[in-house]
Amino acid sequence: DVKVTQSSRYLVKRTGEKVFLECVQDMDHENMFWYRQDPGLGLRLIYFSYDVKMKEKGDIPEGYSVSREKKERFSLILESASTNQTSMYLCASSLRPGEQNTEAFFGQGTRLTVV
Amino acid sequence: EDQVTQSPEALRLQEGESSSLNCSYTVSGLRGLFWYRQDPGKGPEFLFTLYSAGEEKEKERLKATLTKKESFLHITAPKPEDSATYLCAVQADTGGFKTIFGAGTRLFVKA
């Protein structure tokens, strides 16, 4: 089974702190994604990566950056946490489009609270 | 603009009361339509992929169907353990990598 593991289930950080969310997948997937999920807004794409050291902005990249130094690991960075970044963060991975079975596999989520 | 709309927002059923969830989409060209189940406080779990109009897939009490404009998730004789949020998502064949998610339907099944 595909496994996507996020480093923390729950995090509480202070405004202005630099926050790192880590994600590791074990299925050799090319694509990795970071979403945030808020009530009534659904999943919104922050950043995605289709290869090592490659990244693309999603729909809401402001205030975030990412790093992908190894194929299996994709990190989300909040440069200076703000209260409006309190949310559920979900990491996902998938095979490259053009292949069958391009569904995304998600981690368990990180509930981040910024105080 | 590519868009996914799910209805209803919430659905309350009695155990055994069959029903359907709707996912309407507009996309320039459909590569695939996905259904996920999400339990509270957890990440979405993949259920089905549908690739072309007329395609159907089944898993236990769930059956997903696809037309050119919408998909339905039919739930037959639901049980309380089917209570969850069901998410629909589409991937376009425009050469990009993005998947667009709907806001979901929250399903409550009462014993």
Side-chain angles (χ1 to χ4, degrees):
Chain A
D1 280 353
V2 174
K3 195 162 187 181
V4 179
T5 304
Q6 295 181 228
S7 53
S8 305
R9 288 296 305 275
Y10 301 96
L11 277 178
V12 180
K13 297 292 182 180
R14 293 193 181 277
T15 301
E17 276 193 80
K18 191 169 186 176
V19 181
F20 294 86
L21 302 183
E22 307 284 345
C23 176
V24 176
Q25 52 97 1
D26 66 0
M27 278 300 289
D28 202 35
H29 283 169
E30 291 86 1
N31 295 341
M32 295 190 75
F33 309 85
W34 275 106
Y35 292 90
R36 64 177 283 178
Q37 186 175 34
D38 301 287
L41 297 177
L43 273 75
R44 292 181 292 167
L45 182 64
I46 304 170
Y47 267 97
F48 64 99
S49 169
Y50 52 90
D51 204 347
V52 175
K53 296 190 185 295
M54 305 302 287
K55 60 185 179 184
E56 293 283 343
K57 292 181 180 179
D59 300 315
I60 51 165
E62 297 78 18
Y64 303 94
S65 62
V66 290
S67 172
R68 193 166 181 200
E69 297 296 318
K70 293 184 178 182
K71 190 175 185 180
E72 68 271 18
R73 188 179 297 271
F74 193 34
S75 302
L76 179 69
I77 303 151
L78 285 66
E79 298 291 342
S80 177
S82 64
T83 54
N84 63 11
Q85 292 179 310
T86 292
S87 186
M88 170 72 102
Y89 289 87
L90 290 162
C91 174
S93 72
S94 73
L95 289 169
R96 188 186 305 279
E99 302 169 4
Q100 284 283 11
N101 303 324
T102 58
E103 66 271 16
F105 292 86
F106 285 84
Q108 76 276 27
T110 296
R111 173 77 62 185
L112 173 66
T113 302
V114 182
V115 297
Chain B
E1 182 184 347
D2 298 337
Q3 198 168 356
V4 178
T5 304
Q6 291 188 247
S7 61
E9 287 187 21
L11 181 62
R12 297 180 185 276
L13 300 174
Q14 289 292 128
E15 184 172 4
E17 180 186 2
S18 301
S19 188
S20 297
L21 313 182
N22 177 262
C23 172
S24 298
Y25 65 92
T26 53
V27 66
S28 49
L30 182 69
R31 172 178 285 134
L33 183 142
F34 309 98
W35 282 99
Y36 293 86
R37 170 191 170 125
Q38 186 175 24
D39 293 302
K42 296 187 177 181
E45 178 184 343
F46 170 71
L47 292 173
F48 304 109
T49 308
L50 300 167
Y51 293 101
S52 58
E55 189 174 0
E56 299 182 352
K57 288 196 177 169
E58 286 188 71
K59 180 180 180 180
E60 297 181 354
R61 295 177 292 282
L62 301 176
K63 179 180 176 180
T65 62
L66 181 64
T67 72
K68 289 187 177 180
K69 293 185 177 181
E70 58 190 352
S71 176
F72 291 93
L73 185 65
H74 307 277
I75 303 176
T76 302
K79 298 182 177 182
E81 54 262 41
D82 294 321
S83 297
T85 296
Y86 290 86
L87 300 172
C88 171
V90 298
Q91 197 173 75
D93 66 357
T94 54
F97 297 85
K98 288 175 61 174
T99 301
I100 302 159
F101 281 82
T105 294
R106 287 176 295 146
L107 175 66
F108 304 92
V109 182
K110 188 175 179 181

